[in-house]
Amino acid sequence: MRLGLVGPLPPPNGGMAMQTLQLARLLRSEGLAVELVQTNLPYRPRLAGKVKGLRALFRLLPYLWHIWRLVGRSDVIHLMANSGWSWQLFAAPVIWIGWLRQTPVIVNYRGGEAREYLAASSRWVKPSMARAARLVVPSGFLQQVFSEVGLSCAIIPNIIDLETFYPPSEPPPVGEAFTVVITRNLEPIYGLDTAIRAFALAREAIPDMQLKIAGSGPQSAELEQLVESLGLGSAVIFLGRLERPQIVDLYHSAHIMLNSSRVDNMPNSVLEALACGLPVISTNVGGVPYIVQDGQTAMLVDPDNDQQMAAAIVRLCRDSELRRHLRDSGCRTVTQYTWSEVGPQWLALYRAYGAAA
């Protein structure tokens, strides 16, 4: 089978980019001929990327040409799709070209802002979706969101590589510094300002505590200023963007992980932390409550509530039995996201639509 895969690739190491990269590798290991068209290719020339109208043109025209050729050479197209302008520029054209050339397009839609986007733009999305072979989402949350606008979809979850993300032989001892980590991009939707304030409150009860933040983004300077204004100084360390092996090392050296998102779908960072045996405190937004249970596989708090998050940090710091329970149950729950569980679902879908084409 000839599979056309359309989606972003790292850098940056965002969830959809990492899923695209991982899916291509795993499908090739199954013997599929996978041809990939990248939606976030660097601008050529680089200068074009600095001019708003020009950069869309310089990226879109070559992209459409590559998609036209890909569709003609493929039995099935797997399209990684997201909300906003990404949908209009990079997803919808793939569906229409597939429809024109009679090649089935499976839309793999993801993104925590889907409800807001569909509420405002379903009239633009629905005509394209009607021409897709199948809509697939990674979580029950997005299935509910699409049902609200009258669109049905199947659920096939994200893939977690348990050869890369695995628990240490022994969790780190609680020594001089209880270590809290965050592994999200430094962007407003991830609520890192709330997490930093929560950490500052938690340190009032437990002074010997350290926060390490792995990620990069437009809020870098603003968050560093917040750390200074709260008098946290060297208690907060900004590590910048880390590669996957470095993330694993970070998880293995930490005691808990914070996910303070204001919007989220099925965050890989949460699942990867669980796979590394790291207890997670997360906001209960979007699809998060669909993948973890409060008090069973993670601790959930309301978004933008630094008091709740601080109380959860202090509780986990003081309760080693609860940390052990979350660590063990988290490791068990992520087994459903391995390739041996997820892969056959994708392969069956490709065969069903590829044979029908």
Side-chain angles (χ1 to χ4, degrees):
M1 180 175 290
R2 298 166 301 171
L3 178 76
L5 179 60
V6 181
L9 290 176
N13 293 340
M16 190 157 76
M18 293 306 298
Q19 286 293 303
T20 304
L21 183 66
Q22 192 168 218
L23 190 63
R25 176 178 60 81
L26 291 166
L27 289 171
R28 286 169 180 146
S29 74
E30 296 286 345
L32 271 70
V34 179
E35 184 177 352
L36 193 149
V37 168
Q38 185 178 346
T39 56
N40 60 339
L41 278 170
Y43 291 103
R44 291 191 175 90
R46 283 187 181 182
L47 182 63
K50 298 180 180 179
V51 184
K52 269 194 175 180
L54 193 61
R55 67 189 182 193
L57 187 66
F58 267 75
R59 178 168 281 176
L60 188 59
L61 291 180
Y63 173 74
L64 293 176
W65 170 242
H66 289 311
I67 291 297
W68 181 267
R69 297 179 66 202
L70 177 75
V71 168
R73 293 196 290 254
S74 302
D75 298 308
V76 182
I77 300 292
H78 181 138
L79 168 65
M80 308 290 268
N82 208 338
S83 305
W85 279 108
S86 174
W87 169 264
Q88 301 293 348
L89 293 175
F90 300 115
V94 178
I95 299 171
W96 284 91
I97 292 172
W99 177 70
L100 285 170
R101 304 201 69 175
Q102 299 184 325
T103 300
V105 176
I106 297 170
V107 178
N108 187 193
Y109 199 105
R110 46 193 65 234
E113 297 177 289
R115 176 171 279 128
E116 294 77 10
Y117 179 64
L118 291 174
S121 306
S122 63
R123 68 187 183 279
W124 302 108
V125 174
K126 281 185 173 181
S128 298
M129 208 67 85
R131 286 157 178 82
R134 192 71 171 109
L135 170 61
V136 179
V137 296
S139 70
F141 164 66
L142 282 180
Q143 187 180 54
Q144 173 63 32
V145 167
F146 276 100
S147 73
E148 293 168 5
V149 295
L151 293 171
S152 64
C153 53
I155 298 174
I156 300 181
N158 285 347
I159 307 155
I160 300 298
D161 182 0
L162 295 188
E163 291 184 4
T164 299
F165 296 95
Y166 58 90
S169 55
E170 290 291 336
V174 180
E176 292 183 0
F178 187 84
T179 303
V180 181
V181 297
I182 298 173
T183 54
R184 299 306 296 255
N185 287 337
L186 311 186
E187 300 175 24
I189 63 169
Y190 296 125
L192 271 75
D193 54 329
T194 299
I196 291 170
R197 291 188 179 95
F199 175 74
L201 291 172
R203 283 189 86 239
E204 293 176 7
I206 304 170
D208 294 328
M209 192 179 292
Q210 187 176 63
L211 173 62
K212 296 182 178 180
I213 301 173
S216 59
Q219 274 198 308
S220 177
E222 179 184 335
L223 294 173
E224 288 177 8
Q225 289 174 4
L226 177 61
V227 166
E228 290 302 316
S229 70
L230 293 171
L232 295 172
S234 60
V236 178
I237 301 172
F238 289 89
L239 299 171
R241 186 171 64 87
L242 302 182
E243 298 302 325
R244 297 178 92 195
Q246 295 170 303
I247 291 289
V248 174
D249 290 341
L250 179 64
Y251 285 157
H252 286 179
S253 67
H255 298 96
I256 60 173
M257 180 261 212
L258 298 184
N259 178 56
S260 51
S261 297
R262 296 181 171 107
V263 174
D264 230 327
N265 170 35
M266 188 182 185
N268 286 337
S269 56
V270 167
L271 296 176
E272 290 164 357
L274 296 177
C276 288
L278 190 60
V280 170
I281 299 171
S282 176
T283 48
N284 55 7
V285 298
V288 174
Y290 288 78
I291 61 174
V292 292
Q293 289 182 295
D294 184 27
Q296 296 301 313
T297 45
M299 294 187 70
L300 300 182
V301 299
D302 294 334
D304 292 313
N305 194 321
D306 50 16
Q307 298 279 349
Q308 278 190 18
M309 183 166 280
I313 294 171
V314 171
R315 183 182 174 192
L316 272 184
C317 182
R318 291 174 171 169
D319 193 338
S320 60
E321 183 58 28
L322 179 57
R323 291 201 308 274
R324 184 200 61 77
H325 171 74
L326 293 178
R327 183 167 57 247
D328 293 346
S329 58
C331 287
R332 286 194 298 270
T333 200
V334 294
T335 57
Q336 64 187 295
Y337 305 116
T338 60
W339 180 245
S340 61
E341 296 290 328
V342 178
Q345 299 176 60
W346 280 121
L347 294 171
L349 204 59
Y350 300 150
R351 291 177 185 129
Y353 288 102

